[in-house]
Amino acid sequence: MNIEQARFNMIEQQIRTWEVLDPAVLELLFEVKRERFVPQEHASLAFADLEIPIGHGEAMMQPKVEARIVQELALQPHETVYEVGTGSGYLTALLARRARHVTSAEIHAGLRVRAAASLKGEGISNVTLLEGDSAQRPLAESAFDVIVLTGSVPILPQAFLDRLAVGGRLFAVVGDRPVMKAVVVRQPAAGSFQHVELFETVVKPLVNAPQPARFRF
């Protein structure tokens, strides 16, 4: 496989056609080597338009979804990011290349260790990896300019909005199968939140995601 040709095809055929047109984001996808974050047994799928299993019942998002997240959040070099679900570390890497610092929490120890190795291999050092369950609230104490939930949630926990800095943005996939919606929540002023629906998708739920009260017959 010609890796650079495969990367080019992914960007041109999958990502551009999904309304990812920011030149800086497209250049970032050339710079951060996605194949270095894919488990070796799935190396041939690194640039495919599908989710890739990474173990522990988890999967990498489709490349076009990862790229769209980065574009929609419009990260700035001075900003801090909190990521729920490190996974492979690839999205972590993309965020870290755009932001001042990324704090990322992962519930599976094995994934955290592998992601740490991949990030080190890419020369990315402005990341703090935490191990633990962050499905209901951030594990870190500070407020963040950007918060990203990499797994879906039936409802968006208020605890994440409480940790969003003024001017901040939060990305999440909200809902239940078969209908989930990717949303960005912005806080232009303290306590004022604007929800923008981006696209429909289906993403694996966060482990231990809080559940709403369900009606039972």
Side-chain angles (χ1 to χ4, degrees), residues 153-174:
V153 289
I155 56 172
L156 184 59
Q158 180 65 36
F160 290 106
L161 298 177
D162 292 342
R163 293 289 182 80
L164 195 62
V166 174
R169 290 87 65 208
L170 178 149
F171 173 87
V173 176
V174 182

Side-chain angles (χ1 to χ4, degrees), residues 29-175:
L29 299 173
F30 282 108
E31 293 174 359
V32 180
K33 307 305 183 184
R34 193 171 198 270
E35 68 276 12
R36 296 177 184 173
F37 294 85
V38 175
Q40 188 172 2
E41 63 270 26
H42 299 303
S44 63
L45 303 176
F47 307 106
D49 184 20
L50 46 76
E51 294 184 341
I52 300 175
I54 56 175
H56 302 278
E58 305 294 346
M60 293 178 72
M61 293 180 178
Q62 295 164 278
K64 64 188 180 186
V65 174
E66 295 164 322
R68 187 75 180 273
I69 291 171
V70 176
Q71 176 175 270
E72 296 294 341
L73 290 173
L75 287 150
Q76 301 300 309
H78 67 277
E79 292 185 316
T80 58
V81 181
Y82 187 84
E83 180 187 35
V84 183
T86 312
S88 71
Y90 176 67
L91 180 58
T92 316
L94 296 177
L95 297 170
R97 284 287 179 87
R98 302 275 285 179
R100 178 170 64 83
H101 192 270
V102 176
T103 301
S104 184
E106 174 54 57
I107 194 170
H108 302 292
L111 294 183
R112 186 192 65 78
V113 170
R114 192 164 68 198
S118 298
L119 289 163
K120 183 178 180 180
E122 279 290 284
I124 295 172
S125 59
N126 60 328
V127 174
T128 298
L129 298 182
L130 305 177
E131 185 179 320
D133 183 357
S134 187
Q136 300 193 35
R137 64 184 60 84
L139 299 181
E141 295 299 325
S142 60
F144 294 88
D145 300 300
V146 172
I147 297 176
V148 181
L149 279 64
T150 65
S152 63
V153 289
I155 56 172
L156 184 59
Q158 180 65 36
F160 290 106
L161 298 177
D162 292 342
R163 293 289 182 80
L164 195 62
V166 174
R169 290 87 65 208
L170 178 149
F171 173 87
V173 176
V174 182

